[in-house]
Amino acid sequence: MTAATRAFRRWGAAVTPPARRIDYPRHGRRGVRRWIPSWRLVLGTALTGVGALLGLFALVYAQVDIPSENAQARQESNVYYWADGSHMVSVGAVNRRNVPLSEVPAPVRDAAIAAENAGFYSDSGVSFGGLGRAVSNMARGRETQGGSTITQQYVKNTYLSQEQTLSRKVKEFCLALKLDNRTSKDEILQGYLNTSWFGRGAYGIQAASNAYYGMDVDELDPSQGAFLAALLKGGNAYDPVLSPANRRRAVERWSWILDRQVELGMMDAAKRARYTRFPQPLARSLSTALSGQTGYLVDLAERYVKKRTGLTDAELDRGGYQIHTTFEKDAVGKLERSVRDVLRRGLNPEGRKEDRHAQVGAASVRPVDGAVVAVYGGPDATEHFTNNADTSGVPAGSVFKPFVLAAALQHGVRREDGSALSVSAESFYAESGELTGSAPALDGPGFPPPPAPYGHVPTTLRMAAVLSSNAIFRRLGDDVGLRRVEDMAVGAGMLRSSMARRDEEFPLGTSSPSAIRVATSYATFANGGIKNEPYSVTRVIRDGTPLAGLERPRGTRAMDEAVARGVTSVFQGAGVLGPGTAKGTAAPAPVRPAAGMGVSTNQNETQRAAWFAGHSGELATAVTLFRSEPGKPLLSLAGVGREESTRGSLYTTRIWSAYMRAVSAGSSAGTP
């Protein structure tokens, strides 16, 4: 080797860069190959990542400790308060009782395992697939919910919140591993069955057994146990008495769980073949604390809270909520007494078949803000489950006519040439649609004799309202425009979903709003044309923190103030409370001035509902009477209450008047 060669090699060694820890981009490669990592680099990176994750998991695992058992799983009562802040009722305190696993029949235990976690007794307490799905869902912006083992579900029920976040899922994973190492499988299964939610406010298998079958858990047969196991997937989605869709889901899952037990060797095929009929549970029942009107009030408040806050049934059933309502105890009591006293004096269901199955619904709303002050939902919420104050399906009849008149006063009537002509309550109006000329005969069949001085002059809209003339209101609605009439009723407070088909009978009240919505709509007249949405809860507090979403809705203008005053003036006084409601049976006027409307006398033998609705300025109330037998259409009111009643209208008028007189004599109603 020459001296020059040796010198060149020494120079090359001096300028060669030192070896890198990570050979990337790769040294000595050119082009695309320079950017392709070596297998050593790929493997090393993967091992480093796995090691980091394992280290992080070990750190979290070491820091997470198992809290005291049931520290956050104790069910609490939901406490409801009257409008004045006094205690109304506590719900949920006794709807949970822990039972040892030995009291749960083996087939019931097997059904829960088959439904939720077939490998429960052999797994490590966690599902790596479930955690992987949680990570994947989080990366895609979805909820982190994924398949969990029974151990993980028990951890979530007992120690953690119900929120769906990755951090909560990781914590659940670690706690489940620790719990599986420290606790026997039977203890975990026992805890799981005692803390799971089954719907109907039932936490735990014992409460569920009582709620659905009225028996203790140790009396359940395998078929009933399979149904209760189906509820673990979602109580309200699988309770078959709630809807036909629920029943289909419940039957399919119940059958699948029984078949799954055969597949897993928990039940032989011969035994499975004995259970071919779905074990229909009992109808939903309410605690005796919810008897009388209380159950109806709680139902209204719960549905309002869920609608406004997004709380689920499961979250409400978990308890701990303080729910402050708008219901006034004194007003509720007076409304209930008014209904019972009037019906007791007028109806004899034991002695007269025409009086059987008679039902009353009533609601009272404060116009100034829309607060639901009182309702009458039925004789007893623990016996008559449907809330008559908040049910649809009862045609409104003549209590709908004020909205036809309001639409006419607001928009005028359309003429044949397409122009609009303004009208007032004093405008002469004929059945033919003429605004001048002779009125139709008003002393024919179905009409009482017109009182002086209207006997020999054309009929005004005011007089047509007093006489509740179907012919004139039918024509008036058509001339105003049925869509405008519907919009007026909906704008005043009725629900669009309760509106009937817009045909020639539409102005006569074929729609079927609830008593609450009728009262709300009449409250709009009392409030100068400004509608306030009905509300029943002012605030909900849990753990000292008020829930958002319960701010009082702002009012909206439904009609001009002059229109509201005009309609009120038309339906005010003894004229409407008398002949237009029930011939010769005018109710005594309330202490304060009132405006109201009842079903007219010119109804046929197929009439199926009677109403009276009105307001005193400070309170709007609607009362309806109908005859209803389970599973059948509404029954006819012909003959209800003997001949002195015009198909029930007498009783709605008497109830309304008695209640309004009672609250007028006190000071509870009308105070914001």
Side-chain angles (χ1 to χ4, degrees), residues 186-497:
D186 282 350
E187 288 176 304
I188 293 172
L189 182 60
Q190 174 180 292
Y192 170 70
L193 293 175
N194 279 323
T195 58
S196 293
W197 181 70
F198 291 81
R200 296 194 183 186
Y203 277 92
I205 190 71
Q206 172 64 23
S209 181
N210 282 321
Y212 288 93
Y213 291 111
M215 62 178 68
D216 289 334
V217 64
D218 58 2
E219 300 174 87
L220 293 173
D221 65 32
S223 181
Q224 294 165 333
F227 166 70
L228 294 185
L231 294 170
L232 291 167
K233 194 172 180 65
N236 284 347
Y238 289 84
D239 188 340
V241 306
L242 294 181
S243 71
N246 271 24
R247 179 177 171 80
R248 286 193 297 271
R249 281 191 293 268
V251 171
E252 289 174 2
R253 187 154 180 84
W254 160 79
S255 180
W256 176 84
I257 290 172
L258 288 173
D259 291 339
R260 179 68 168 156
Q261 287 177 262
V262 175
E263 180 183 337
L264 296 172
M266 297 173 171
M267 180 186 297
D268 59 54
K271 187 174 183 180
R272 165 65 180 95
R274 296 204 297 265
Y275 303 114
T276 58
R277 184 168 182 161
F278 180 68
Q280 181 71 16
L282 302 172
R284 292 172 67 94
S285 61
L286 296 171
S287 164
T288 54
L290 300 177
S291 60
Q293 299 306 302
T294 306
Y296 303 122
L297 301 177
V298 168
D299 175 64
L300 282 175
E302 279 194 357
R303 286 194 283 120
Y304 184 81
V305 168
K306 287 187 289 187
K307 180 180 178 181
R308 294 298 301 275
T309 67
L311 281 179
T312 65
D313 289 299
E315 289 168 329
L316 269 175
D317 285 344
R318 191 170 292 278
Y321 295 93
Q322 298 171 325
I323 302 172
H324 295 260
T325 75
T326 61
F327 307 127
E328 298 183 3
K329 184 177 183 180
D330 185 57
V332 171
K334 288 175 178 177
L335 182 56
E336 183 176 25
R337 285 192 295 273
S338 297
V339 173
R340 290 184 174 178
D341 290 348
V342 169
L343 295 186
R344 184 173 60 249
R345 291 196 304 266
L347 302 185
N348 180 20
E350 285 77 23
R352 301 185 72 252
K353 66 178 182 179
E354 294 87 353
D355 294 347
R356 295 171 191 164
H357 309 297
Q359 297 287 336
V360 169
S364 199
V365 173
R366 194 165 58 209
V368 71
D369 63 353
V372 181
V373 171
V375 299
Y376 179 84
D380 192 314
T382 61
E383 299 173 1
H384 178 79
F385 304 126
T386 302
N387 188 342
N388 292 342
D390 196 35
T391 187
S392 60
V394 182
S398 289
V399 293
F400 192 79
K401 289 177 181 175
F403 305 99
V404 181
L405 179 59
L409 299 182
Q410 182 77 33
H411 302 290
V413 296
R414 297 173 303 181
R415 311 314 296 153
E416 291 183 1
D417 61 4
S419 63
L421 183 64
S422 297
V423 299
S424 72
E426 311 311 324
S427 296
F428 294 115
Y429 204 81
E431 180 181 348
S432 63
E434 296 293 330
L435 290 175
T436 59
S438 299
L442 295 179
D443 55 353
F447 288 93
Y454 299 99
H456 302 289
V457 298
T459 303
T460 64
L461 287 179
R462 180 183 299 276
M463 191 58 194
V466 170
L467 298 174
S468 194
S469 170
N470 282 353
I472 291 180
F473 271 89
R474 184 186 289 112
R475 181 56 188 261
L476 181 62
D478 185 61
D479 286 348
V480 172
L482 298 182
R483 182 59 191 235
R484 282 180 167 175
V485 172
E486 178 179 317
D487 289 344
M488 178 61 71
V490 172
M494 296 186 187
L495 295 177
R496 186 81 66 182
S497 59

Side-chain angles (χ1 to χ4, degrees), residues 78 88 106 145 148 170 223 258 285 329 357 391 428 462 482 504 591 602 611 654:
N78 287 326
M88 179 196 299
Q145 184 176 6
S148 298
V170 171
S223 181
L258 288 173
S285 61
K329 184 177 183 180
H357 309 297
T391 187
F428 294 115
R462 180 183 299 276
L482 298 182
E504 64 176 7
V591 175
N602 55 336
W611 284 84
R654 283 182 172 174

